[in-house]
Amino acid sequence: MPDEQDKSQQTEEASPKKIEDAREKGQVPSSKEPSTAIAFLVLAGLGITGIGSWTLQHATHMMRHYLSSGTEILRIDGSGMQSLLFSISGDIGMIVLPIVLPMMILGMLVAVMVSGPVFTFETLKPKLEKISPMAGFKRMFSTKGLAEFVKSVLKLCVISLACWVVLNGLLPDALLSSRTNVGAIGRLAVQGTLAIAALSALIFFFIALADVLYQRWEHAKGLRMSKKELKDENKDTEGDPQLKAKIRQIQQEQARNRMMTDVPKADVIITNPTHIAIALAYKPGIPRAPKLLAKGKGKTAEKIREIARENRIPIRENKPLARSLYKGVKIGNEIPEELYEAVAIILAEIFRIRTTAQGV
């Protein structure tokens, strides 16, 4: 019951991290059906490319050579047996390699196309569940086991159907084979074998395609996660959201404190009048535009005004200018050219008052 409940809660698609972790463990979608289709395709290709005829001729020649040579090639001593073994191995290799090599190369290419490149020793590690009778019993009667059984029955039916279709077409020639020579019977057998292989390859291509799609769906289904698993993974990879928010709050507080230490250096505070406060500084005689030292809304604006009053910094109300400065200028940057005139009027007034006060 707990397992069923856990499965029912796994409604979310697997995260990229879980997919990558599963891949590192060798857990990738795989299918055996493309290999079967390739085997039939190679067998059918033997006749089309002429390799089959060459293989048959080479095998016939090899049998005639070894069976008719007698004692000429068979010496009952160490060197004679070794020479015979090497000779037979080479001849058998010439027959088998043209068939096996294409199967191996095409099989590896298809495996990479289906599962992607995977290199791991994780699947070679011994695991108790691999030899557990109970685990094997569960796998046998699982959804995957049922699917494998259905595929096996389907493949048996397909092979039987292919054989029946081909043999039914060759039946008239087979009935007349008693009146022909051995070579004609051999050609008929080869023709039937290649036809069965070609038909089976075509059918197994569609079976393999369907099985690959099913295996990918089954693999994705097995990696599904619950909402709690996704949340826990996000905490592990990105950190606790509450902790991140706390760190962000501390960083903002530190930045605000640093900003407040620059407010006493300002020449004027532009307000909105209570919601926004902007601290500007300008040094006459230096070819630089006024710089924005601090800005804020709400309580931050109130704190800027408070520091300004403590340091006797002039405060001027200008709603459009305050909004433009707050939205368009970052802390530490100079004001843009389009605001020069509005700021210059305020600063000129403040410097005039300051100069008059100093003259008195």
Side-chain angles (χ1 to χ4, degrees):
M1 184 68 68
D3 292 340
E4 293 179 0
Q5 186 176 2
D6 292 341
K7 288 290 183 182
S8 65
Q9 293 176 354
Q10 293 175 342
T11 56
E12 308 300 317
E13 295 297 327
S15 65
K17 181 180 182 300
K18 184 168 184 180
I19 294 175
E20 186 61 29
D21 291 344
R23 190 172 194 82
E24 291 177 357
K25 297 177 181 178
Q27 298 176 2
V28 293
S30 60
S31 173
K32 301 176 183 178
E33 305 312 318
S35 301
T36 307
I38 289 172
F40 282 112
L41 180 63
V42 170
L43 290 176
L46 293 178
I48 299 175
T49 59
I51 297 177
S53 178
W54 178 86
T55 302
L56 181 61
Q57 291 177 3
H58 191 79
T60 303
H61 173 73
M62 183 186 71
M63 293 179 65
R64 287 175 179 172
H65 174 68
Y66 289 110
L67 293 177
S68 63
S69 297
T71 58
E72 296 178 6
I73 63 171
L74 182 60
R75 299 197 310 272
I76 311 301
D77 55 23
S79 60
M81 295 300 293
Q82 185 178 7
S83 177
L84 179 62
L85 179 61
F86 285 147
S87 177
I88 293 176
S89 299
D91 288 333
I92 292 177
M94 293 293 290
I95 296 173
V96 174
L97 287 180
I99 302 174
V100 174
L101 280 180
M103 288 184 181
M104 291 178 58
I105 295 173
L106 291 175
M108 288 188 292
L109 289 176
V110 171
V112 171
M113 292 174 60
V114 173
S115 306
V118 180
F119 183 76
T120 179
F121 293 104
E122 191 70 25
T123 53
L124 300 178
K125 293 181 179 179
K127 294 182 180 180
L128 185 61
E129 57 267 23
K130 291 183 179 180
I131 59 175
S132 172
M134 185 59 66
F137 185 78
K138 289 182 179 179
R139 285 194 299 267
M140 187 183 302
F141 291 95
S142 63
T143 305
K144 188 173 183 179
L146 179 60
E148 292 295 330
F149 175 75
V150 172
K151 284 193 299 181
S152 299
V153 174
L154 180 61
K155 286 189 289 185
L156 180 62
C157 294
V158 166
I159 296 297
S160 301
L161 178 62
C163 292
W164 182 83
V165 170
V166 172
L167 294 178
N168 188 54
L170 296 176
L171 186 58
D173 294 331
L175 294 176
L176 297 175
S177 61
S178 59
R179 303 176 184 178
T180 59
N181 55 27
V182 177
I185 296 175
R187 286 192 296 272
L188 184 63
V190 172
Q191 180 184 352
T193 302
L194 294 178
I196 290 173
L199 183 57
S200 299
L202 178 63
I203 298 174
F204 268 93
F205 170 79
F206 294 102
I207 294 177
L209 180 62
D211 188 62
V212 167
L213 296 176
Y214 169 77
Q215 293 296 340
R216 288 188 173 183
W217 173 81
E218 183 72 18
H219 179 71
K221 179 183 176 182
L223 292 180
R224 284 179 185 172
M225 306 170 67
S226 64
K227 293 182 178 180
K228 183 178 183 303
E229 288 175 331
L230 279 175
K231 185 177 180 181
D232 292 342
E233 184 182 278
N234 290 332
K235 284 184 179 180
D236 293 337
T237 55
E238 301 179 4
D240 191 340
Q242 295 181 354
L243 180 60
K244 289 175 62 179
K246 185 65 177 179
I247 294 174
R248 188 162 52 248
Q249 180 183 353
I250 293 174
Q251 291 174 341
Q252 292 174 352
E253 186 68 22
Q254 291 175 344
R256 191 174 72 89
N257 292 336
R258 287 194 298 269
M259 180 183 70
M260 292 303 178
T261 59
D262 290 335
V263 174
K265 303 174 186 178
D267 293 302
V268 65
I269 305 298
I270 311 296
T271 64
N272 189 23
T274 57
H275 296 88
I276 298 176
I278 309 293
L280 297 177
Y282 176 70
K283 293 184 179 180
I286 299 178
R288 301 288 295 273
K291 181 186 293 186
L292 192 149
L293 299 180
K295 66 178 181 178
K297 280 185 175 182
K299 292 183 178 180
T300 303
E302 183 180 343
K303 183 66 176 178
I304 292 174
R305 290 193 300 271
E306 180 183 339
I307 296 175
R309 285 190 290 267
E310 291 175 355
N311 292 270
R312 298 181 179 181
I313 300 172
I315 299 176
R316 296 291 183 268
E317 178 183 338
N318 190 321
K319 295 180 181 180
L321 180 59
R323 287 196 294 267
S324 298
L325 288 170
Y326 186 84
K327 293 179 180 179
V329 185
K330 294 181 179 181
I331 297 173
N333 289 357
E334 297 178 358
I335 66 173
E337 186 176 352
E338 60 268 18
L339 299 179
Y340 282 178
E341 184 177 356
V343 173
I345 294 173
I346 297 175
L347 288 175
E349 177 196 354
I350 290 172
F351 288 143
R352 185 174 62 252
I353 294 174
R354 187 181 297 173
T355 302
T356 302
Q358 290 176 351
V360 174

